[in-house]
Amino acid sequence: MKRSFLSVVMFLSLSTVGYSQENKLEVCDWNLETRLPKLSRYLNLNAGQYDDVANAIDFFSDKMRNAKYSKENRQIKKLNEAVYGNLKLMKNTLSHAQYKKYVLLMNCELKNRGLNNYMSKAALN
């Protein structure tokens, strides 16, 4: 009886440890439209750039929403596509100095949300 009880406890503890070590991607909603005026002031955007940046942010929010609701095995790829697609759009829109500021901001945001580890994995694939 003691052995069976000990076996059950050991099995449950090992399965719990194995489950907790899974690297599940937690992609939260990225609604950056509310922060667009602050971003505009930070980057010193002109009127034409403001519209292009707003479109790029809409694109990024949609792609991140798709990454959130996709299957686990495709989330890293979709996250990679969202971030690098956004950076490509921003690079075409912003000047070199503005783009450097934006990349620093994006790196901080990804790190704060815990997604920087997934980006390095995606870059290796």
Side-chain angles (χ1 to χ4, degrees):
M1 187 70 171
K2 285 183 181 180
R3 282 187 181 177
S4 62
F5 179 73
L6 186 59
S7 303
V8 169
V9 169
M10 199 159 100
F11 174 74
L12 289 174
S13 64
L14 288 177
S15 64
T16 304
V17 169
Y19 180 74
S20 66
Q21 290 180 352
E22 286 183 18
N23 288 335
K24 187 174 182 194
L25 178 60
E26 293 291 332
V27 179
C28 52
D29 287 330
W30 285 63
N31 187 6
L32 300 177
E33 290 89 12
T34 57
R35 293 191 238 164
L36 187 59
K38 288 181 183 179
L39 180 65
S40 174
R41 283 191 303 272
Y42 178 70
L43 296 176
N44 296 323
L45 299 177
N46 61 31
Q49 286 178 325
Y50 188 89
D51 292 336
D52 291 341
V53 168
N55 290 335
I57 286 175
D58 287 340
F59 167 80
F60 182 64
S61 297
D62 289 340
K63 289 289 190 174
M64 289 302 283
R65 194 172 303 112
N66 289 342
K68 180 179 179 178
Y69 294 115
S70 65
K71 293 182 180 178
E72 262 186 74
N73 56 354
R74 299 211 39 169
Q75 278 185 338
I76 293 175
K77 182 180 180 201
K78 290 200 179 258
L79 174 68
N80 185 27
E81 290 173 358
V83 171
Y84 289 112
N86 182 26
L87 290 176
K88 185 177 179 181
L89 289 172
M90 290 297 192
K91 189 172 188 174
N92 292 335
T93 302
L94 303 174
S95 70
H96 182 69
Q98 290 172 327
Y99 182 70
K100 281 176 61 174
K101 285 182 178 180
Y102 183 76
V103 168
L104 288 172
L105 206 76
M106 183 61 80
N107 283 336
C108 289
E109 191 72 30
L110 290 171
K111 187 175 182 180
N112 287 341
R113 293 184 185 223
L115 298 176
N116 57 340
N117 294 332
Y118 295 105
M119 291 309 300
S120 61
K121 287 179 186 176
L124 294 175
N125 292 336

